[in-house]
Amino acid sequence: MAHKHTYSAASRFWIYPVMIVFVLLAMLPFLYMVSLSLQSDAEMFSGQVVVIPEELQFTNYVTIWEKAPFARFILNSFIVAGTIAFLHVLFDPLIGYVFAKMEFPGKRFMFVALLSTLMIPFFVRLIPLYIMTAKFGLLNTYTGLILPFAMSAFGIFLMRQFILPIPDDLIAAARLDGASEPRIFFDIVLPQIGPAIATVALLTFVFQFNEFIWPLVVVSSENMRPITTGLTLFNQEFFTQWNLTAVGGMLLFLPCFLLYLVAQRHFVQSAMLSGMK
Amino acid sequence: MSGVTLKKVRKDYGSVVAIPSLDLEIENGEFCVFVGPSGCGKSTLLRTIAGLEDLTEGQIVIGDQDVSDRHPGQRGVAMVFQNYALYPHMSVRQNMAYALRLAGEPKAEIKKKVDRAAEILGLEAYLDRKPAELSGGQRQRVAIGRAIVRNPKVFLFDEPLSNLDAELRTRMRLELSELHQALGTTMIYVTHDQVEAMTLADKIVVLRAGRIEQVGRPLELYDDPVNKFVAGFLGSPSMNFLPARWADGRLVLEDLEGATLSMAAKAPESGKAIVGIRPEHLEIGPEGAPLKLRSVEQLGGVTYGYAILPSGQEFCVDLKGRRDIRAGDTVTLVIPETHALVFDAETENRIRPSK
């Protein structure tokens, strides 16, 4: 027992400093972004790496709203990421339920086909997806930004994994109680996968809030830009206003961080249950 | 209240035939138990009656209505599952009220029915608890309560006591029996436990590989089985089987040093038979076939002796009450001819004495 105690104290002695170093390394870009967002133009272009600005330029957080229609960008980001997250909450559990609990011809093939889409990099699909979006006349529209991401193989897979362990007898009992199939789904299945739904909603929102390539490809009008591509306005021909870009980065980070704080309990729970890391 | 009639019921899973063709009549108010080993099709049959499995062929009639194509919720049946199948996110009251809520019954009526069922089952104090906060026995009561509130024509039980410990199982068995007497509703009960079958049933249906081996009252099946399978399945400890051969109109039991039994019946062509005798029917006398006991179980009120016969067959004898007999002792057995059952060694069907 004493030996075990000594061992664990020793391991703690080594593990904590190592972990702190890694955490600091991981946080370094973020901390530098915070620092950049508070630097003056002079400090930024001084040619030296400034870690702590001499004078904190909180005015950068005001200037950004004047230099570009940032309120509109944020609204666009919220509309697109929010709608996509909502559609995932609607469709992923429904399709996951069908794959987990219903029997139909071709189920296995369809599931494998669905999963195989996870192996295809997005950039491979980018051009055909763009052509389809253009042919449907959806360039520069919310629909064009949202539709290609309305469902995801990963979300469906995650939901299926969570629905699989729900006992079949529970569904049979509801059927015997006179519940229709939609009722079984909404009354019996959905309440039991709350943490998983919260996780899918959170991950989808954060991922879509940070999406850069697809809006860059399908949106050319300034009014339809989300924050991510909106930030490119500070990237000009001869110089980039890194301090304002960093302020934009902070605006991207804050909603995601707040959302995580709210849904943290569900997120950790479902990550543990699904073995997802 | 209604009886249940199964006509030429067949259930296939792809190319696998689970139930080839089955006819059965369950009377109104009867407690019918389907019993058989694992995989015999008893749960499949129950789920087919419930409508949870589609019929491949045949007809299911409940009362005077053909329910073969009806949705499970519209057949007038309620089911109690082995793992309780309670909705974990709902309270006991919500669990019991769910079916009534779906049926659109008024709130006051739902409350009355749930309170009444809770009173019958002693669940009044637990109505606001979630299933996770209940013991196994309480959960099973809630599952039964959920069935009761629907006032079904037929109750279906799928091995409802198998997740409970031995003591609780005995208590719940008695409660189920009392419930049946109080409600008088037709009940169909699936189990692989022959004690449950013997104690609860008005009628036992013994199943093997999706076919009915025998139907009858518990003691009828116990005393007068039609084949070796039924004889061996009912009774605890189970019936002893001894290989025998026909010689000069008598059955010779090689395993018991050539002891013979008279049997006034036509011998099968092979001349080989199996003699079945229950442990409690064996007698210990001053003269008879000697049997060396390998082990002895003293259970207080009863003593069982066990032996391995020369053919390798296990053999059990009820030594009648408390006996000072130990492992390694030899007893002399007398087989009363009136209690010995004879089976064809090939077909395993019963050979009855000619009249």
Side-chain angles (χ1 to χ4, degrees):
Chain A
M1 209 53 197
H3 176 73
K4 193 179 172 188
H5 180 75
T6 318
Y7 174 78
S8 108
S11 67
R12 227 178 288 154
F13 179 79
W14 287 109
I15 283 170
Y16 279 104
V18 172
M19 278 170 67
I20 288 166
V21 168
F22 275 104
V23 168
L24 282 177
L25 273 176
M27 284 189 69
L28 210 57
F30 173 76
L31 295 174
Y32 189 56
M33 181 177 79
V34 177
S35 159
L36 260 179
S37 76
L38 295 167
Q39 287 179 24
S40 65
D41 288 354
E43 274 175 319
M44 193 181 56
F45 292 119
S46 66
Q48 286 172 346
V49 176
V50 178
V51 179
I52 299 166
E54 228 166 70
E55 201 179 321
L56 300 177
Q57 297 291 317
F58 286 104
T59 47
N60 287 345
Y61 283 79
V62 180
T63 316
I64 193 170
W65 303 95
E66 293 160 359
K67 293 240 175 162
F70 244 81
R72 177 73 199 198
F73 296 165
I74 289 176
L75 179 73
N76 288 343
S77 283
F78 268 102
I79 289 175
V80 172
T83 310
I84 291 174
F86 172 75
L87 291 174
H88 275 248
V89 167
L90 202 68
F91 292 127
D92 292 357
L94 205 58
I95 302 168
Y97 174 60
V98 170
F99 277 122
K101 295 291 178 192
M102 300 210 165
E103 291 306 324
F104 54 90
K107 172 176 150 176
R108 200 178 147 73
F109 168 76
M110 284 170 76
F111 188 64
V112 171
L114 180 85
L115 281 191
S116 65
T117 62
L118 284 173
M119 319 294 169
I120 305 169
F122 177 66
F123 290 95
V124 175
R125 290 182 287 148
L126 187 64
I127 292 170
L129 209 55
Y130 172 78
I131 295 170
M132 282 164 73
T133 310
K135 294 264 185 206
F136 283 121
L138 297 175
L139 295 180
N140 285 311
T141 63
Y142 285 129
T143 317
L145 282 167
I146 292 166
L147 208 57
F149 302 98
M151 280 172 265
S152 83
F154 176 71
I156 293 167
F157 173 72
L158 191 71
M159 288 299 160
R160 175 187 173 269
Q161 294 309 97
F162 269 84
I163 293 169
L164 268 180
I166 296 176
D168 290 343
D169 280 351
L170 213 59
I171 292 163
R175 222 165 260 157
L176 275 161
D177 273 345
S180 60
E181 294 305 314
R183 263 225 176 260
I184 292 173
F185 177 72
F186 287 109
D187 286 0
I188 310 299
V189 177
L190 265 194
Q192 293 182 64
I193 52 167
I197 292 176
T199 304
V200 165
L202 180 74
L203 285 178
T204 309
F205 184 87
V206 171
F207 186 79
Q208 292 302 328
F209 208 73
N210 288 306
E211 177 60 29
F212 179 76
I213 293 296
W214 185 244
L216 187 73
V217 170
V218 292
V219 170
S220 51
S221 97
E222 194 172 298
N223 263 349
M224 286 305 296
R225 287 184 188 212
I227 314 177
T228 45
T229 53
L231 284 176
T232 56
L233 289 177
F234 301 122
N235 188 355
Q236 290 158 6
E237 197 174 349
F238 299 109
F239 66 94
T240 299
Q241 281 186 287
W242 289 116
N243 51 355
L244 294 186
T245 310
V247 172
M250 290 301 290
L251 289 177
L252 258 175
F253 157 76
L254 273 175
C256 300
F257 180 64
L258 291 177
L259 249 180
Y260 177 75
L261 282 187
V262 172
Q264 184 192 23
R265 191 170 55 86
H266 294 303
F267 184 73
V268 172
Q269 192 184 347
S270 72
M272 275 161 61
L273 285 174
S274 66
M276 179 182 74
K277 284 180 187 162
Chain B
M1 289 197 294
S2 307
V4 178
T5 308
L6 308 180
K7 296 178 188 169
K8 303 258 174 293
V9 164
R10 181 189 171 97
K11 175 66 193 165
D12 297 350
Y13 292 102
S15 58
V16 178
V17 183
I19 300 168
S21 178
L22 191 142
D23 291 280
L24 182 67
E25 187 86 35
I26 299 166
E27 303 292 329
N28 184 11
E30 204 166 36
F31 200 122
C32 177
V33 176
F34 294 168
V35 72
S38 295
C40 71
K42 53 191 188 298
S43 284
T44 304
L45 186 59
L46 192 80
R47 293 174 70 87
T48 309
I49 295 171
L52 298 172
E53 301 283 352
D54 292 331
L55 261 181
T56 307
E57 270 172 36
Q59 211 180 14
I60 296 169
V61 179
I62 296 179
D64 53 1
Q65 291 178 325
D66 181 353
V67 299
S68 313
D69 297 322
R70 284 202 196 162
H71 183 272
Q74 292 163 348
R75 295 187 175 206
V77 300
M79 189 156 163
V80 177
F81 294 85
Q82 181 179 355
N83 59 9
Y84 323 120
L86 299 176
Y87 311 127
H89 55 293
M90 295 185 192
S91 67
V92 169
R93 182 182 286 284
Q94 288 167 330
N95 262 283
M96 286 163 73
Y98 185 62
L100 303 177
R101 200 157 57 81
L102 289 180
E105 291 210 18
K107 277 187 179 170
E109 191 63 24
I110 294 176
K111 187 176 181 313
K112 209 170 102 186
K113 285 184 179 174
V114 170
D115 287 345
R116 168 101 183 94
E119 192 192 322
I120 293 173
L121 297 161
L123 287 168
E124 296 104 314
Y126 308 106
L127 282 172
D128 294 322
R129 289 199 193 171
K130 293 270 170 69
E133 298 165 312
L134 303 175
S135 68
Q138 287 163 345
R139 283 184 211 178
Q140 196 51 273
R141 277 201 196 92
V142 177
I144 294 168
R146 189 169 65 177
I148 289 177
V149 291
R150 293 183 53 202
N151 194 21
K153 293 177 188 165
V154 181
F155 281 96
L156 307 174
F157 295 92
D158 190 2
E159 308 212 25
L161 307 185
S162 53
N163 281 1
L164 305 177
D165 61 53
E167 194 188 340
L168 198 55
R169 206 156 55 218
T170 310
R171 212 168 71 211
M172 287 299 289
R173 211 166 61 207
L174 290 170
E175 283 185 23
L176 273 176
S177 184
E178 284 167 12
L179 189 73
H180 178 240
Q181 282 167 24
L183 299 175
T185 313
T186 310
M187 293 186 174
I188 305 177
Y189 189 103
V190 160
T191 182
H192 62 265
D193 181 341
Q194 55 91 26
V195 178
E196 279 175 28
M198 292 295 288
T199 51
L200 286 169
D202 295 322
K203 179 192 274 177
I204 293 181
V205 178
V206 182
L207 291 159
R208 178 165 61 163
R211 293 174 203 275
I212 294 179
E213 292 289 317
Q214 193 171 0
V215 180
R217 307 194 80 78
L219 289 179
E220 253 172 54
L221 266 59
Y222 187 82
D223 293 335
D224 194 16
V226 295
N227 57 27
K228 185 180 168 230
F229 177 79
V230 176
F233 200 81
L234 296 177
S236 176
S238 53
M239 185 180 271
N240 297 301
F241 295 106
L242 301 160
R245 66 183 163 78
W246 235 281
D248 304 327
R250 292 186 74 81
L251 282 163
V252 182
L253 305 170
E254 303 286 3
D255 264 343
L256 294 178
E257 299 204 340
T260 61
L261 295 171
S262 71
M263 179 69 191
K266 190 170 174 277
E269 272 182 24
S270 66
K272 288 180 182 169
I274 294 166
V275 170
I277 181 93
R278 296 204 180 274
E280 71 270 24
H281 291 150
L282 290 160
E283 287 167 12
I284 312 291
E287 285 180 18
L291 183 78
K292 189 175 180 184
L293 299 176
R294 198 165 162 250
S295 61
V296 174
E297 276 182 358
Q298 299 273 6
L299 301 177
V302 61
T303 307
Y304 292 115
Y306 295 90
I308 302 279
L309 300 176
S311 62
Q313 198 83 32
E314 275 195 39
F315 195 85
C316 175
V317 53
D318 180 346
L319 297 167
K320 311 283 181 299
R322 290 190 185 209
R323 290 285 194 114
D324 187 23
I325 296 175
R326 306 219 169 108
D329 290 354
T330 300
V331 292
T332 44
L333 283 183
V334 178
I335 300 180
E337 290 182 349
T338 45
H339 284 118
L341 308 179
V342 183
F343 305 94
D344 185 323
E346 278 175 4
T347 63
E348 297 193 344
N349 287 332
R350 177 93 173 271
I351 301 171
R352 294 175 189 277
S354 12
K355 286 174 185 168

